[in-house]
Amino acid sequence: MSSIQQNIQQITSQIESCEQKWGRARHSVQLLAVSKTKPVDAILAAIEAGQRRFGENYVQEGVEKTRFFSEHHQDIALEWHFIGPIQSNKSRLVAEHFDWVHTVDRDKIAQRLNDQRPPEKGPLQVLIQVNTSGESSKSGIDEADVLTLAQLISTLPNLTLRGLMSIPENVASYDVQRKAFEQLATLQRQLAQHYPDIDTLSMGMSGDMSAAIEAGSTMVRIGTAIFGERDYTRTK
Ligand SMILES: *Cc1c(COP(=O)(O)O)cnc(C)c1O
């Protein structure tokens, strides 16, 4: 068994023990394997371990991978999630090649993704990225503007709003991690009063997964703990 397969098994059992520890329903937290900068061989190893849901941050790299798998492994039903920042001149590629987008943070991007989504692919599943830490350098919409963006998305036929996503500041303190995640979970509950069908709270990475699950995450985005450290010199 490859180390990637072992890592997937280990993360899966860690997710299960977090679910138990925090009184969450079994299988209520899904694993998104973040494969950015990693070659298709690494993705194939994760597929061998049963993983089907993959996250990519860079448009060009992600599109190449989705094309590779739809050409060479049509028989395996994979789900591709775009989790990186979206520039408007790249939105068409995202709308055409991905199943989910976690990083919708402004009207213009929502509108473009809707207009550029090929109707035969069915609606794009979207999350609104929220800047819970309020830092100006971080991407994501301010909490106060979430409802307005959700209202726009709800009128767009080629997008389906599924919930919220955040990337809080990278801190070591468990309590600080949990508080940031609870902030997003509170916002999700408020949004659900208007949009009761939303079901996805994308939060938690390799370093803060447990706090995210305690606060109510339904999808953790794990890269390093599955695929190892990333070598950014290999990406453009
Ligand atoms: C890279 C990345 C991840 C994975 O981070 P790890 O710390 O490697 O698990 C998760 N979410 C987003 C948005 C990322 O860019």
Side-chain angles (χ1 to χ4, degrees):
M1 204 191 328
S2 77
S3 63
I4 289 175
Q5 288 171 276
Q6 284 171 352
N7 293 344
I8 296 252
Q9 286 185 359
Q10 201 177 356
I11 288 286
T12 303
S13 68
Q14 281 170 11
I15 290 173
E16 282 173 13
S17 44
C18 286
E19 285 170 346
Q20 275 192 333
K21 183 172 176 191
W22 304 123
R24 301 281 314 276
R26 203 168 138 78
H27 302 311
S28 57
V29 183
Q30 298 180 322
L31 172 60
L32 179 67
V34 176
S35 44
K36 66 184 178 209
T37 79
K38 299 296 176 180
V40 293
D41 285 352
I43 297 175
L44 280 165
I47 290 171
E48 285 277 302
Q51 182 65 26
R52 294 292 181 270
R53 198 175 282 119
F54 293 93
E56 290 284 337
N57 285 60
Y58 308 105
V59 176
Q60 201 54 46
E61 178 192 342
V63 167
E64 279 167 26
K65 289 175 185 169
T66 64
R67 284 205 178 114
F68 175 86
F69 282 94
S70 62
E71 277 166 31
H72 300 280
H73 298 276
Q74 274 168 301
D75 49 316
I76 313 170
L78 298 178
E79 202 176 88
W80 291 99
H81 293 236
F82 189 76
I83 62 172
I86 310 181
Q87 295 163 295
S88 43
N89 63 351
K90 299 277 177 65
S91 61
R92 178 177 299 278
L93 284 167
V94 173
E96 288 177 349
H97 293 276
F98 285 83
D99 304 298
W100 283 66
V101 177
H102 291 220
T103 46
V104 177
D105 63 356
R106 54 200 193 276
D107 290 5
K108 184 183 177 188
I109 289 297
Q111 191 69 57
R112 287 177 73 91
L113 290 171
N114 177 73
D115 298 346
Q116 295 166 339
R117 177 69 170 172
E120 69 276 11
K121 298 202 91 177
L124 191 59
Q125 309 299 303
V126 304
L127 303 175
I128 295 175
Q129 183 180 359
V130 185
N131 179 356
T132 45
S133 59
E135 284 171 67
S136 56
S137 61
K138 286 264 175 75
S139 45
I141 193 170
D142 286 349
E143 289 194 36
D145 300 324
V146 168
L147 189 56
T148 310
L149 180 54
Q151 277 161 351
L152 170 69
I153 293 171
S154 71
T155 66
L156 301 174
N158 298 324
L159 303 186
T160 299
L161 180 65
R162 298 293 295 268
L164 302 177
M165 175 269 205
S166 73
I167 314 172
E169 237 179 314
N170 182 4
V171 291
S173 155
Y174 187 90
D175 286 339
V176 175
Q177 291 173 358
R178 197 194 59 227
K179 285 201 178 97
F181 291 135
E182 282 172 349
Q183 215 177 318
L184 195 71
T186 301
L187 202 58
Q188 172 96 338
R189 279 192 295 276
Q190 291 165 355
L191 194 61
Q193 293 175 357
H194 303 269
Y195 305 101
D197 293 338
I198 61 172
D199 57 4
T200 304
L201 201 44
S202 164
M203 53 187 202
M205 320 203 322
S206 298
D208 54 17
M209 187 178 91
S210 179
I213 293 174
E214 182 179 6
S217 171
T218 70
M219 194 180 289
V220 289
R221 309 179 307 264
I222 307 295
T224 310
I226 295 173
F227 297 110
E229 295 293 330
R230 287 177 289 272
D231 177 1
Y232 283 101
T233 59
R234 294 184 55 237
T235 53
K236 316 119 256 189

